[in-house]
Amino acid sequence: MNLCLLCSACVQMEDYDNTPRGNFDALWKIMDQRYCFFSYKNVDWNTVYDKYSRRISNYMDNEALFYLLDEMLQELKDGHVNLYSPFDVGRYWKWFEDYPSNYVSHLTDEYLGSDYMMSGGIKYKILEDNIGYMYYGDFSSGMGETNLDYIINKLALCQGIILDVRDNGGGLLTNSDKLASRFTNEKVLVGYIQHKIGTGHNDFSEPFARYIEPSKRLRYQKRVVVLTNRKCFSATNDFVNAMRYFPSVIILGDQTGGGSGLPFSSELPNGWSVRFSACPSFDADMQQIEYGILPDIKVDLQTDDVMKKLDTLIEAARDLIKQE
Amino acid sequence: MRRSVLFLLFLISVRFLSAQEEQPVNLIYQSVMMGVGKTSVYDTYLSPLNYDGNSFGMMLEQSKMTGIMNGKVAVQHLLNLDFSHSHNDTETASDYAGFIEYSYGLLYKFTPLKRTSLFAGMQANGMLGFIYNSRNGNNPATGKVHLNANLSAIVAHTVSIKSQPFRLRFQTSIPVAGILFSPHYGQSYYEISLGDSDGLIDFASLHNHLSMRNLLSVEIPFNALTLRLAYRNNIYETDVNALQTRVHSNSFYIGFSKNFFSVPEKKIPKDNYKRVFE
């Protein structure tokens, strides 16, 4: 104790009650200090506190508390904000639920058939018109450099590649960087990243430039068409952002879903976990990409094509490659 | 004449050996102990909650008197390995923490009483460690690295009960200045891996870093080895880049220690040596 009086380093732990009030206050404070998009989204978090605080009662049960806390988090309109309890996951999914999906998995199955190859989480095949098709549905799937060597080598003689990342909800940014590095011969500025340096809503570091450096291994040299839809989120949004700066790449499909804030995790006294956007990413012009990236060519899936077992986006990409 | 010279050389050599034998030989002290205890881990990079659990540790020590300042300075090497597993109050998440810490100390020896020794001096101290949270996504772990200059002090006292000696020793160490690593408040290790390393190494002193290592031990000599029992209290606290870390542990250790010669034994009379801690 005497030492503590002499030493300002002594850490005083936060003391939260495991009550509805204590959990509400803990969640509100975690977000208040660590969430990164308050200013960009023009959310007055103090007003949110007043709005929901009056509905908190220490007599409410866990479910009532969960759905009230989730409702509060929905004010942030952020797909990276989730509340995890043993009985449900709080989520905001309007970034894709309110839009056409532009992806039907059984259609891509028609193109892949049963003789496609699969490596590092990527399904790939050479279509009958000598166009390579790659489907990568999850940036969490382990993807090694050797996997990419085999894939690029296999598709090297194709006229072009369709790189389909529709419905890819994200994963590891390192996989995004690794895959993108196979499609550029130059070091390219693709964006910036910031982090919070304090608890204030605008306490951010200086933007740090992000580059994609060309892979020192096999790189693809011809036209690449990246297919996107609204479910391209988080690391996939990051991947699409990087790819659009490469001259050989065209983004085709629908706007991506966004999710540019690198999410962190924390927890409440009752053991529930919360995830939230912590580090904002920007494009190379320092513009926000939290709400998604527009494609170079907007194409929607057409019902007529679906009836004919054709994927409108894949067909458009094939035409684009064949025109060159 | 030749006989006289040989006799003179014999006398000189005998005298030289005698003088050498008169100097007590400093014994090298070594100890190895293993311990278990309770720990609490609080790191706001990972969670706003405190985690409690169990710790396991290993401690190696080597000490000996040097020739510095007329043989009054002891050199001490300390190596600590600590591992802990802790969980939050609701047991819905776990922290795993591991630390390896080395200290090189030079301590001046005072002998105010016949069976009591005091040591005071400095340590060069380095630590490498991590805390990993089983549930977090992009902030699953945080690294702990520091280099410090510590103040350190030892009190050693020997008591005898029914002719059985018990060597009591208490040592405390506290950092006064150094450097430490810390990510920024909301910085991901992914961003650090991209090369954004500005401000990750901070000056550390009592304003932002409190670390105390307290060890109370008793050594009970038996035939060849000495049993060593210890209570160890570790306090590690930092407040850097708006991130707070607090790791406290209390452990009980058991092990052995030994004092030994570093020269062939046949050259040294058995009763002409000196231990560090006596």
Side-chain angles (χ1 to χ4, degrees):
Chain A
M1 181 61 190
N2 288 336
L3 188 67
C4 279
L5 291 174
L6 295 171
C7 173
S8 58
C10 291
V11 171
Q12 302 298 317
M13 290 191 295
E14 296 275 0
D15 194 17
Y16 295 108
D17 293 331
N18 185 7
T19 60
R21 169 62 60 187
N23 284 295
F24 171 79
D25 285 344
L27 178 62
W28 184 87
K29 189 172 180 181
I30 289 166
M31 302 302 288
D32 182 54
Q33 295 184 340
R34 312 204 70 154
Y35 184 69
C36 69
F37 287 129
F38 284 122
S39 297
Y40 172 60
K41 296 186 175 181
N42 200 22
V43 173
D44 186 336
W45 198 235
N46 288 318
T47 302
V48 170
Y49 182 91
D50 294 339
K51 179 178 173 183
Y52 291 90
S53 176
R54 61 176 66 107
R55 294 167 59 188
I56 291 289
S57 157
N58 277 346
Y59 299 104
M60 63 200 311
D61 64 18
N62 273 344
E63 280 199 29
L65 176 65
F66 178 85
Y67 293 113
L68 181 63
L69 297 183
D70 183 43
E71 192 183 331
M72 178 175 79
L73 294 177
Q74 303 270 333
E75 299 270 359
L76 299 169
K77 297 181 171 54
D78 190 327
H80 271 144
V81 172
N82 299 99
L83 184 64
Y84 300 89
S85 75
F87 51 86
D88 202 359
V89 176
R91 65 218 177 247
Y92 177 83
W93 280 357
K94 291 191 182 300
W95 45 273
F96 70 87
E97 285 175 338
D98 289 354
Y99 302 94
S101 78
N102 283 311
Y103 177 73
V104 179
S105 64
H106 71 76
L107 285 183
T108 54
D109 291 344
E110 292 289 333
Y111 288 85
L112 285 166
S114 56
D115 59 346
Y116 62 88
M117 299 174 77
M118 193 159 57
S119 178
I122 297 175
K123 297 175 181 175
Y124 62 106
K125 182 177 182 174
I126 299 174
L127 303 179
E128 61 269 21
D129 48 2
N130 194 35
I131 290 173
Y133 177 75
M134 297 166 64
Y135 181 77
Y136 192 33
D138 185 355
F139 271 98
S140 300
S141 298
M143 178 178 56
E145 296 288 5
T146 306
N147 300 130
L148 291 175
D149 285 346
Y150 277 106
I151 296 169
I152 302 286
N153 188 49
K154 180 77 178 177
L155 305 182
L157 296 178
C158 292
Q159 201 174 341
I161 287 179
I162 299 169
L163 178 44
D164 193 345
V165 290
R166 287 176 293 173
D167 270 28
N168 186 329
L172 301 174
L173 285 172
T174 48
N175 280 345
S176 162
D177 296 346
K178 195 186 297 178
L179 183 57
S181 72
R182 298 297 183 129
F183 300 103
T184 179
N185 294 321
E186 307 286 338
K187 179 180 177 180
V188 178
L189 174 70
V190 296
Y192 296 88
I193 188 169
Q194 282 185 308
H195 56 263
K196 293 201 71 183
I197 56 173
T199 56
H201 289 186
N202 295 307
D203 289 347
F204 288 108
S205 65
E206 289 297 313
F208 185 78
R210 292 182 61 201
Y211 294 89
I212 297 293
E213 302 219 24
S215 169
K216 292 175 180 162
R217 302 168 75 125
L218 276 179
R219 296 192 299 272
Y220 191 73
Q221 301 296 329
K222 299 177 191 170
R223 172 63 71 197
V224 177
V225 180
V226 178
L227 304 187
T228 56
N229 69 350
R230 291 276 179 169
K231 274 194 174 178
C232 294
F233 191 71
S234 191
T236 312
N237 192 60
D238 181 79
F239 173 73
V240 172
N241 175 59
M243 291 291 281
R244 68 180 167 144
Y245 291 107
F246 302 157
S248 63
V249 174
I250 291 175
I251 311 298
L252 185 148
D254 197 0
Q255 182 176 334
T256 61
S260 64
L262 183 74
F264 270 26
S265 305
S266 191
E267 61 185 328
L268 309 187
N270 63 3
W272 295 350
S273 177
V274 59
R275 187 176 80 143
F276 54 88
S277 296
C279 312
S281 288
F282 304 85
D283 69 11
D285 299 317
M286 268 304 286
Q287 298 302 305
Q288 292 276 4
I289 49 175
E290 164 67 1
Y291 290 132
I293 296 163
L294 290 169
D296 297 316
I297 301 171
K298 176 82 164 70
V299 177
D300 285 320
L301 198 63
Q302 300 300 314
T303 311
D304 291 350
D305 287 336
V306 175
M307 300 298 286
K308 288 185 270 183
K309 295 185 177 179
L310 291 174
D311 187 312
T312 316
L313 282 74
I314 293 178
E315 293 302 320
R318 289 172 97 166
D319 291 343
L320 200 62
I321 291 169
K322 284 183 208 165
Q323 285 168 13
E324 298 190 0
Chain B
M1 178 63 185
R2 191 182 173 194
R3 280 187 179 176
S4 301
V5 170
L6 285 172
F7 182 69
L8 187 62
L9 284 172
F10 173 75
L11 285 178
I12 290 169
S13 65
V14 168
R15 184 170 178 79
F16 175 75
L17 283 172
S18 300
Q20 198 175 43
E21 285 163 5
E22 283 168 8
Q23 290 293 323
V25 172
N26 288 317
L27 299 184
I28 297 171
Y29 171 87
Q30 278 193 345
S31 158
V32 57
M33 291 194 293
M34 297 174 83
V36 293
K38 292 288 182 187
T39 190
S40 77
V41 178
Y42 174 72
D43 189 292
T44 57
Y45 185 78
L46 303 173
S47 167
L49 306 180
N50 186 56
Y51 282 56
D52 291 307
N54 300 312
S55 62
F56 167 80
M58 189 174 199
M59 209 172 114
L60 304 167
E61 178 184 355
Q62 178 175 299
S63 301
K64 69 173 182 178
M65 297 305 296
T66 67
I68 302 169
M69 300 177 81
N70 296 322
K72 289 286 189 184
V73 173
V75 61
Q76 183 185 45
H77 304 268
L78 286 171
L79 181 67
N80 296 316
L81 301 169
D82 293 290
F83 181 78
S84 70
H85 173 223
S86 53
H87 47 76
N88 58 7
D89 282 349
T90 52
E91 301 193 358
T92 52
S94 294
D95 269 356
Y96 297 88
F99 302 95
I100 178 166
E101 184 175 23
Y102 170 74
S103 300
Y104 174 87
L106 290 173
L107 304 156
Y108 190 87
K109 182 178 184 180
F110 305 89
T111 313
L113 299 168
K114 187 183 173 187
R115 308 192 86 182
T116 303
S117 301
L118 299 176
F119 296 78
M122 301 290 293
Q123 288 176 327
N125 167 263
M127 190 191 80
L128 186 65
F130 71 91
I131 305 172
Y132 167 76
N133 185 288
S134 61
R135 192 163 62 177
N136 288 359
N138 288 306
N139 56 328
T142 184
K144 301 292 168 192
V145 184
H146 74 232
L147 288 172
N148 280 322
N150 289 358
L151 288 176
S152 187
I154 299 172
V155 181
H157 179 69
T158 303
V159 296
S160 293
I161 301 172
K162 294 183 178 178
S163 75
Q164 171 65 55
F166 293 86
R167 298 189 196 118
L168 303 170
R169 179 150 53 110
F170 174 73
Q171 178 165 9
T172 187
S173 304
I174 182 169
V176 287
I179 54 173
L180 61 75
F181 162 84
S182 173
H184 288 286
Y185 180 69
Q187 188 177 24
S188 67
Y189 280 79
Y190 169 73
E191 186 179 340
I192 294 172
S193 76
L194 296 177
D196 191 2
S197 56
D198 279 356
L200 299 180
I201 306 295
D202 295 88
F203 172 71
S205 191
L206 293 175
H207 68 288
N208 61 3
H209 181 200
L210 170 67
S211 175
M212 284 189 75
R213 306 292 190 235
N214 300 307
L215 184 77
L216 177 65
S217 69
V218 58
E219 290 173 277
I220 308 161
F222 290 105
N223 293 332
L225 285 175
T226 298
L227 177 67
R228 190 177 188 201
L229 304 170
Y231 161 73
R232 185 165 173 243
N233 164 244
N234 273 6
I235 295 171
Y236 176 86
E237 297 188 3
T238 60
D239 188 353
V240 180
N241 294 339
L243 293 169
Q244 287 84 41
T245 300
R246 180 185 184 275
V247 180
H248 287 193
S249 66
N250 292 286
S251 309
F252 289 97
Y253 279 71
I254 185 168
F256 296 96
S257 65
K258 187 176 173 73
N259 290 278
F260 62 95
F261 305 118
S262 62
V263 293
E265 191 175 0
K266 63 183 179 183
K267 289 188 178 175
I268 302 158
K270 286 187 178 174
D271 58 350
N272 194 18
Y273 52 78
K274 193 167 71 177
R275 293 190 184 89
V276 184
F277 301 111
E278 70 176 0

